[in-house]
Structures are given as C-alpha cells and as structure tokens.
mmCIF file of all heavy atoms in Angstrom:
data_model
loop_
_atom_site.group_PDB
_atom_site.id
_atom_site.type_symbol
_atom_site.label_atom_id
_atom_site.label_comp_id
_atom_site.label_asym_id
_atom_site.label_seq_id
_atom_site.Cartn_x
_atom_site.Cartn_y
_atom_site.Cartn_z
ATOM 1 N N THR A 1 33.748 -52.098 -12.872
ATOM 2 C CA THR A 1 34.894 -52.833 -12.470
ATOM 3 C C THR A 1 36.137 -51.958 -12.508
ATOM 4 O O THR A 1 36.995 -52.009 -11.527
ATOM 5 C CB THR A 1 35.160 -53.976 -13.475
ATOM 6 O OG1 THR A 1 33.943 -54.837 -13.386
ATOM 7 C CG2 THR A 1 36.369 -54.837 -13.048
ATOM 8 N N GLU A 2 36.331 -51.153 -13.530
ATOM 9 C CA GLU A 2 37.519 -50.283 -13.614
ATOM 10 C C GLU A 2 37.463 -49.228 -12.492
ATOM 11 O O GLU A 2 38.489 -48.878 -11.948
ATOM 12 C CB GLU A 2 37.552 -49.545 -14.988
ATOM 13 C CG GLU A 2 37.858 -50.547 -16.085
ATOM 14 C CD GLU A 2 37.842 -49.836 -17.476
ATOM 15 O OE1 GLU A 2 37.675 -48.564 -17.471
ATOM 16 O OE2 GLU A 2 37.964 -50.481 -18.508
ATOM 17 N N LEU A 3 36.316 -48.685 -12.260
ATOM 18 C CA LEU A 3 36.189 -47.617 -11.208
ATOM 19 C C LEU A 3 36.376 -48.201 -9.777
ATOM 20 O O LEU A 3 36.988 -47.552 -8.946
ATOM 21 C CB LEU A 3 34.864 -46.942 -11.305
ATOM 22 C CG LEU A 3 34.698 -45.593 -10.642
ATOM 23 C CD1 LEU A 3 35.829 -44.592 -11.145
ATOM 24 C CD2 LEU A 3 33.392 -44.930 -10.961
ATOM 25 N N ARG A 4 35.955 -49.462 -9.571
ATOM 26 C CA ARG A 4 36.163 -50.069 -8.276
ATOM 27 C C ARG A 4 37.688 -50.234 -8.071
ATOM 28 O O ARG A 4 38.216 -49.997 -6.969
ATOM 29 C CB ARG A 4 35.590 -51.467 -8.264
ATOM 30 C CG ARG A 4 35.792 -52.209 -6.971
ATOM 31 C CD ARG A 4 35.149 -53.636 -7.015
ATOM 32 N NE ARG A 4 33.715 -53.562 -7.108
ATOM 33 C CZ ARG A 4 32.963 -54.185 -7.995
ATOM 34 N NH1 ARG A 4 33.613 -54.865 -9.027
ATOM 35 N NH2 ARG A 4 31.624 -54.164 -7.974
ATOM 36 N N ARG A 5 38.454 -50.585 -9.087
ATOM 37 C CA ARG A 5 39.889 -50.804 -8.977
ATOM 38 C C ARG A 5 40.565 -49.416 -8.733
ATOM 39 O O ARG A 5 41.430 -49.270 -7.823
ATOM 40 C CB ARG A 5 40.461 -51.397 -10.254
ATOM 41 C CG ARG A 5 41.948 -51.526 -10.223
ATOM 42 C CD ARG A 5 42.393 -52.322 -11.578
ATOM 43 N NE ARG A 5 43.836 -52.583 -11.531
ATOM 44 C CZ ARG A 5 44.802 -51.772 -12.029
ATOM 45 N NH1 ARG A 5 44.429 -50.619 -12.596
ATOM 46 N NH2 ARG A 5 46.029 -52.141 -11.963
ATOM 47 N N ALA A 6 40.071 -48.335 -9.457
ATOM 48 C CA ALA A 6 40.657 -47.035 -9.221
ATOM 49 C C ALA A 6 40.391 -46.564 -7.796
ATOM 50 O O ALA A 6 41.217 -45.943 -7.187
ATOM 51 C CB ALA A 6 40.061 -46.086 -10.249
ATOM 52 N N LEU A 7 39.173 -46.818 -7.286
ATOM 53 C CA LEU A 7 38.790 -46.435 -5.900
ATOM 54 C C LEU A 7 39.724 -47.081 -4.908
ATOM 55 O O LEU A 7 40.198 -46.521 -3.969
ATOM 56 C CB LEU A 7 37.313 -46.672 -5.697
ATOM 57 C CG LEU A 7 36.624 -46.332 -4.394
ATOM 58 C CD1 LEU A 7 37.016 -47.295 -3.285
ATOM 59 C CD2 LEU A 7 36.887 -44.914 -3.926
ATOM 60 N N ARG A 8 39.892 -48.339 -5.067
ATOM 61 C CA ARG A 8 40.708 -49.172 -4.071
ATOM 62 C C ARG A 8 42.183 -48.640 -4.110
ATOM 63 O O ARG A 8 42.853 -48.586 -3.036
ATOM 64 C CB ARG A 8 40.572 -50.607 -4.405
ATOM 65 C CG ARG A 8 39.201 -51.146 -4.153
ATOM 66 C CD ARG A 8 39.050 -52.649 -4.388
ATOM 67 N NE ARG A 8 37.743 -53.091 -4.064
ATOM 68 C CZ ARG A 8 37.314 -54.387 -4.108
ATOM 69 N NH1 ARG A 8 38.203 -55.303 -4.576
ATOM 70 N NH2 ARG A 8 36.130 -54.705 -3.743
ATOM 71 N N ILE A 9 42.701 -48.364 -5.287
ATOM 72 C CA ILE A 9 44.107 -47.805 -5.338
ATOM 73 C C ILE A 9 44.131 -46.421 -4.750
ATOM 74 O O ILE A 9 45.053 -46.110 -3.984
ATOM 75 C CB ILE A 9 44.573 -47.821 -6.804
ATOM 76 C CG1 ILE A 9 44.771 -49.262 -7.296
ATOM 77 C CG2 ILE A 9 45.859 -47.052 -6.949
ATOM 78 C CD1 ILE A 9 45.112 -49.326 -8.749
ATOM 79 N N GLU A 10 43.142 -45.614 -4.925
ATOM 80 C CA GLU A 10 43.024 -44.303 -4.363
ATOM 81 C C GLU A 10 43.079 -44.377 -2.834
ATOM 82 O O GLU A 10 43.746 -43.661 -2.157
ATOM 83 C CB GLU A 10 41.813 -43.607 -4.793
ATOM 84 C CG GLU A 10 41.873 -42.064 -4.638
ATOM 85 C CD GLU A 10 42.899 -41.401 -5.478
ATOM 86 O OE1 GLU A 10 43.207 -41.940 -6.589
ATOM 87 O OE2 GLU A 10 43.366 -40.292 -5.040
ATOM 88 N N ARG A 11 42.324 -45.326 -2.287
ATOM 89 C CA ARG A 11 42.287 -45.449 -0.769
ATOM 90 C C ARG A 11 43.692 -45.851 -0.244
ATOM 91 O O ARG A 11 44.033 -45.410 0.737
ATOM 92 C CB ARG A 11 41.255 -46.524 -0.381
ATOM 93 C CG ARG A 11 39.821 -46.131 -0.514
ATOM 94 C CD ARG A 11 38.875 -47.072 0.237
ATOM 95 N NE ARG A 11 39.132 -47.145 1.658
ATOM 96 C CZ ARG A 11 38.569 -46.302 2.523
ATOM 97 N NH1 ARG A 11 37.831 -45.353 2.145
ATOM 98 N NH2 ARG A 11 38.853 -46.447 3.810
ATOM 99 N N ARG A 12 44.416 -46.697 -1.028
ATOM 100 C CA ARG A 12 45.682 -47.137 -0.506
ATOM 101 C C ARG A 12 46.630 -45.953 -0.580
ATOM 102 O O ARG A 12 47.416 -45.764 0.411
ATOM 103 C CB ARG A 12 46.244 -48.324 -1.353
ATOM 104 C CG ARG A 12 47.508 -48.853 -0.718
ATOM 105 C CD ARG A 12 47.997 -50.119 -1.271
ATOM 106 N NE ARG A 12 48.911 -50.713 -0.361
ATOM 107 C CZ ARG A 12 49.749 -51.752 -0.727
ATOM 108 N NH1 ARG A 12 49.700 -52.235 -1.953
ATOM 109 N NH2 ARG A 12 50.557 -52.324 0.170
ATOM 110 N N MET A 13 46.645 -45.179 -1.556
ATOM 111 C CA MET A 13 47.468 -44.025 -1.668
ATOM 112 C C MET A 13 47.167 -42.955 -0.626
ATOM 113 O O MET A 13 48.009 -42.342 -0.043
ATOM 114 C CB MET A 13 47.472 -43.355 -3.095
ATOM 115 C CG MET A 13 48.026 -44.286 -4.131
ATOM 116 S SD MET A 13 48.266 -43.401 -5.739
ATOM 117 C CE MET A 13 46.526 -43.050 -6.194
ATOM 118 N N GLU A 14 45.885 -42.820 -0.404
ATOM 119 C CA GLU A 14 45.434 -41.647 0.477
ATOM 120 C C GLU A 14 45.512 -42.003 1.935
ATOM 121 O O GLU A 14 45.900 -41.143 2.736
ATOM 122 C CB GLU A 14 43.923 -41.335 0.188
ATOM 123 C CG GLU A 14 43.314 -40.308 1.034
ATOM 124 C CD GLU A 14 43.779 -38.923 0.767
ATOM 125 O OE1 GLU A 14 44.380 -38.694 -0.383
ATOM 126 O OE2 GLU A 14 43.529 -37.980 1.535
ATOM 127 N N PHE A 15 45.333 -43.236 2.378
ATOM 128 C CA PHE A 15 45.195 -43.615 3.770
ATOM 129 C C PHE A 15 46.370 -44.387 4.321
ATOM 130 O O PHE A 15 46.247 -45.053 5.410
ATOM 131 C CB PHE A 15 43.839 -44.277 4.159
ATOM 132 C CG PHE A 15 42.657 -43.437 3.745
ATOM 133 C CD1 PHE A 15 41.849 -43.848 2.754
ATOM 134 C CD2 PHE A 15 42.435 -42.225 4.340
ATOM 135 C CE1 PHE A 15 40.687 -43.104 2.420
ATOM 136 C CE2 PHE A 15 41.380 -41.481 4.021
ATOM 137 C CZ PHE A 15 40.523 -41.895 3.077
ATOM 138 N N ALA A 16 47.469 -44.472 3.630
ATOM 139 C CA ALA A 16 48.642 -45.189 4.139
ATOM 140 C C ALA A 16 49.008 -44.754 5.595
ATOM 141 O O ALA A 16 49.014 -43.556 5.845
ATOM 142 C CB ALA A 16 49.841 -45.013 3.193
ATOM 143 N N MET A 17 49.291 -45.737 6.423
ATOM 144 C CA MET A 17 49.652 -45.526 7.802
ATOM 145 C C MET A 17 48.561 -44.865 8.633
ATOM 146 O O MET A 17 48.780 -44.212 9.672
ATOM 147 C CB MET A 17 50.924 -44.661 7.932
ATOM 148 C CG MET A 17 51.759 -44.854 9.190
ATOM 149 S SD MET A 17 53.207 -43.875 9.320
ATOM 150 C CE MET A 17 52.563 -42.283 9.608
ATOM 151 N N GLU A 18 47.289 -45.033 8.253
ATOM 152 C CA GLU A 18 46.186 -44.518 8.941
ATOM 153 C C GLU A 18 45.279 -45.526 9.525
ATOM 154 O O GLU A 18 44.040 -45.313 9.863
ATOM 155 C CB GLU A 18 45.361 -43.506 8.138
ATOM 156 C CG GLU A 18 46.077 -42.253 7.766
ATOM 157 C CD GLU A 18 45.270 -41.257 7.059
ATOM 158 O OE1 GLU A 18 44.242 -40.824 7.642
ATOM 159 O OE2 GLU A 18 45.674 -40.772 5.924
ATOM 160 N N ASN A 19 45.739 -46.759 9.635
ATOM 161 C CA ASN A 19 45.067 -47.862 10.241
ATOM 162 C C ASN A 19 43.757 -48.254 9.525
ATOM 163 O O ASN A 19 42.721 -48.495 10.261
ATOM 164 C CB ASN A 19 44.763 -47.559 11.820
ATOM 165 C CG ASN A 19 46.048 -47.326 12.558
ATOM 166 O OD1 ASN A 19 46.972 -48.106 12.435
ATOM 167 N ND2 ASN A 19 46.086 -46.415 13.465
ATOM 168 N N GLN A 20 43.767 -48.248 8.230
ATOM 169 C CA GLN A 20 42.599 -48.606 7.470
ATOM 170 C C GLN A 20 42.822 -49.744 6.535
ATOM 171 O O GLN A 20 41.924 -50.392 6.087
ATOM 172 C CB GLN A 20 42.126 -47.391 6.712
ATOM 173 C CG GLN A 20 41.639 -46.219 7.567
ATOM 174 C CD GLN A 20 40.582 -45.469 6.971
ATOM 175 O OE1 GLN A 20 39.525 -46.025 6.519
ATOM 176 N NE2 GLN A 20 40.600 -44.198 6.838
ATOM 177 N N ARG A 21 44.095 -50.022 6.282
ATOM 178 C CA ARG A 21 44.448 -51.073 5.254
ATOM 179 C C ARG A 21 43.916 -52.453 5.603
ATOM 180 O O ARG A 21 43.376 -53.157 4.783
ATOM 181 C CB ARG A 21 45.944 -51.087 5.126
ATOM 182 C CG ARG A 21 46.408 -52.033 3.946
ATOM 183 C CD ARG A 21 45.929 -51.621 2.561
ATOM 184 N NE ARG A 21 46.470 -52.506 1.550
ATOM 185 C CZ ARG A 21 46.049 -52.471 0.284
ATOM 186 N NH1 ARG A 21 44.995 -51.812 -0.069
ATOM 187 N NH2 ARG A 21 46.616 -53.255 -0.662
ATOM 188 N N LEU A 22 44.001 -52.827 6.869
ATOM 189 C CA LEU A 22 43.560 -54.192 7.259
ATOM 190 C C LEU A 22 42.094 -54.339 7.023
ATOM 191 O O LEU A 22 41.597 -55.309 6.463
ATOM 192 C CB LEU A 22 43.908 -54.471 8.749
ATOM 193 C CG LEU A 22 43.374 -55.749 9.360
ATOM 194 C CD1 LEU A 22 43.929 -56.944 8.627
ATOM 195 C CD2 LEU A 22 43.646 -55.788 10.854
ATOM 196 N N GLN A 23 41.314 -53.349 7.431
ATOM 197 C CA GLN A 23 39.880 -53.382 7.362
ATOM 198 C C GLN A 23 39.453 -53.413 5.916
ATOM 199 O O GLN A 23 38.502 -54.121 5.421
ATOM 200 C CB GLN A 23 39.244 -52.230 8.051
ATOM 201 C CG GLN A 23 39.194 -52.335 9.561
ATOM 202 C CD GLN A 23 40.463 -51.607 10.172
ATOM 203 O OE1 GLN A 23 41.553 -51.721 9.637
ATOM 204 N NE2 GLN A 23 40.243 -50.845 11.202
ATOM 205 N N ASP A 24 40.172 -52.612 5.086
ATOM 206 C CA ASP A 24 39.881 -52.605 3.646
ATOM 207 C C ASP A 24 40.121 -53.974 3.043
ATOM 208 O O ASP A 24 39.237 -54.477 2.231
ATOM 209 C CB ASP A 24 40.677 -51.537 2.900
ATOM 210 C CG ASP A 24 40.172 -50.147 3.137
ATOM 211 O OD1 ASP A 24 39.126 -49.949 3.661
ATOM 212 O OD2 ASP A 24 40.868 -49.168 2.743
ATOM 213 N N LEU A 25 41.237 -54.527 3.300
ATOM 214 C CA LEU A 25 41.565 -55.884 2.699
ATOM 215 C C LEU A 25 40.575 -56.996 3.196
ATOM 216 O O LEU A 25 40.282 -57.897 2.491
ATOM 217 C CB LEU A 25 42.990 -56.207 3.009
ATOM 218 C CG LEU A 25 44.094 -55.393 2.333
ATOM 219 C CD1 LEU A 25 45.462 -55.726 2.898
ATOM 220 C CD2 LEU A 25 44.026 -55.526 0.824
ATOM 221 N N MET A 26 40.243 -56.911 4.426
ATOM 222 C CA MET A 26 39.361 -57.824 4.961
ATOM 223 C C MET A 26 37.929 -57.727 4.373
ATOM 224 O O MET A 26 37.368 -58.786 3.920
ATOM 225 C CB MET A 26 39.172 -57.691 6.494
ATOM 226 C CG MET A 26 40.403 -58.159 7.271
ATOM 227 S SD MET A 26 40.287 -57.938 9.064
ATOM 228 C CE MET A 26 38.949 -59.046 9.510
ATOM 229 N N ARG A 27 37.438 -56.487 4.193
ATOM 230 C CA ARG A 27 36.054 -56.431 3.637
ATOM 231 C C ARG A 27 36.070 -56.668 2.097
ATOM 232 O O ARG A 27 34.984 -57.012 1.652
ATOM 233 C CB ARG A 27 35.445 -55.083 3.980
ATOM 234 C CG ARG A 27 36.160 -53.836 3.457
ATOM 235 C CD ARG A 27 35.649 -52.570 4.092
ATOM 236 N NE ARG A 27 36.287 -51.353 3.561
ATOM 237 C CZ ARG A 27 35.913 -50.744 2.553
ATOM 238 N NH1 ARG A 27 34.943 -51.147 1.759
ATOM 239 N NH2 ARG A 27 36.537 -49.640 2.062
ATOM 240 N N TRP A 28 37.176 -56.397 1.462
ATOM 241 C CA TRP A 28 37.236 -56.663 -0.002
ATOM 242 C C TRP A 28 37.623 -58.110 -0.269
ATOM 243 O O TRP A 28 37.714 -58.565 -1.434
ATOM 244 C CB TRP A 28 38.305 -55.770 -0.604
ATOM 245 C CG TRP A 28 37.977 -54.293 -0.618
ATOM 246 C CD1 TRP A 28 36.731 -53.741 -0.579
ATOM 247 C CD2 TRP A 28 38.881 -53.211 -0.719
ATOM 248 N NE1 TRP A 28 36.815 -52.379 -0.559
ATOM 249 C CE2 TRP A 28 38.176 -52.060 -0.634
ATOM 250 C CE3 TRP A 28 40.340 -53.163 -0.741
ATOM 251 C CZ2 TRP A 28 38.798 -50.754 -0.706
ATOM 252 C CZ3 TRP A 28 40.977 -51.908 -0.749
ATOM 253 C CH2 TRP A 28 40.180 -50.717 -0.691
ATOM 254 N N LYS A 29 37.838 -58.854 0.816
ATOM 255 C CA LYS A 29 38.196 -60.323 0.715
ATOM 256 C C LYS A 29 39.424 -60.537 -0.178
ATOM 257 O O LYS A 29 39.492 -61.398 -1.008
ATOM 258 C CB LYS A 29 37.016 -61.153 0.199
ATOM 259 C CG LYS A 29 35.835 -61.197 1.159
ATOM 260 C CD LYS A 29 36.163 -61.904 2.370
ATOM 261 C CE LYS A 29 34.989 -62.101 3.294
ATOM 262 N NZ LYS A 29 34.529 -60.912 3.998
ATOM 263 N N LEU A 30 40.461 -59.668 0.205
ATOM 264 C CA LEU A 30 41.768 -59.834 -0.584
ATOM 265 C C LEU A 30 42.899 -60.264 0.284
ATOM 266 O O LEU A 30 44.077 -60.313 -0.129
ATOM 267 C CB LEU A 30 42.050 -58.388 -1.132
ATOM 268 C CG LEU A 30 41.274 -57.848 -2.321
ATOM 269 C CD1 LEU A 30 41.689 -56.488 -2.712
ATOM 270 C CD2 LEU A 30 41.335 -58.831 -3.493
ATOM 271 N N MET A 31 42.579 -60.649 1.539
ATOM 272 C CA MET A 31 43.573 -61.039 2.431
ATOM 273 C C MET A 31 44.382 -62.238 1.867
ATOM 274 O O MET A 31 45.633 -62.323 1.985
ATOM 275 C CB MET A 31 43.049 -61.353 3.795
ATOM 276 C CG MET A 31 42.608 -60.123 4.586
ATOM 277 S SD MET A 31 43.905 -58.867 4.950
ATOM 278 C CE MET A 31 44.680 -59.763 6.341
ATOM 279 N N ASP A 32 43.759 -63.209 1.250
ATOM 280 C CA ASP A 32 44.414 -64.415 0.783
ATOM 281 C C ASP A 32 45.398 -64.021 -0.339
ATOM 282 O O ASP A 32 46.481 -64.567 -0.422
ATOM 283 C CB ASP A 32 43.398 -65.424 0.223
ATOM 284 C CG ASP A 32 42.496 -64.841 -0.873
ATOM 285 O OD1 ASP A 32 42.300 -63.632 -0.934
ATOM 286 O OD2 ASP A 32 42.084 -65.644 -1.795
ATOM 287 N N LYS A 33 45.042 -63.054 -1.127
ATOM 288 C CA LYS A 33 46.004 -62.616 -2.139
ATOM 289 C C LYS A 33 47.234 -61.859 -1.562
ATOM 290 O O LYS A 33 48.364 -62.037 -1.978
ATOM 291 C CB LYS A 33 45.346 -61.698 -3.238
ATOM 292 C CG LYS A 33 44.281 -62.517 -4.065
ATOM 293 C CD LYS A 33 43.597 -61.626 -5.048
ATOM 294 C CE LYS A 33 42.742 -62.403 -6.012
ATOM 295 N NZ LYS A 33 41.681 -63.137 -5.282
ATOM 296 N N VAL A 34 46.943 -60.916 -0.659
ATOM 297 C CA VAL A 34 48.014 -60.220 -0.027
ATOM 298 C C VAL A 34 48.937 -61.072 0.821
ATOM 299 O O VAL A 34 50.172 -60.950 0.794
ATOM 300 C CB VAL A 34 47.437 -59.072 0.909
ATOM 301 C CG1 VAL A 34 48.480 -58.412 1.688
ATOM 302 C CG2 VAL A 34 46.761 -58.051 0.095
#
C-alpha cells in the first residue's frame, strides 16, 4: 500500500505535462476524487 502510493506520486512528479495524468487517474479510478 505504501509503495503503491509512492509510485503514484513519483509518476505525477516525473510525467507532468506529458499527457499521462488523465490515463493514470482513469485506470487508478481516482477521477471522482480529483
């Protein structure tokens, strides 16, 4: 659980403005929270 959270934060820091955030949020089913 902790590593999953760390990985997801890492992706956000690494890939900002690279057209990946929407797909990440959709597949993680976090769109309702965002």
Side-chain angles (χ1 to χ4, degrees):
T1 300
E2 292 179 4
L3 200 52
R4 180 185 291 126
R5 181 175 185 267
L7 181 284
R8 292 180 177 184
I9 291 173
E10 196 68 26
R11 285 192 64 86
R12 188 172 197 193
M13 294 190 294
E14 179 71 16
F15 300 117
M17 205 179 71
E18 293 186 55
N19 298 317
Q20 298 215 48
R21 183 65 173 165
L22 174 63
Q23 290 93 317
D24 283 350
L25 292 173
M26 287 176 68
R27 64 191 180 84
W28 294 334
K29 294 294 186 285
L30 289 178
M31 291 295 282
D32 58 330
K33 292 181 172 59
V34 171

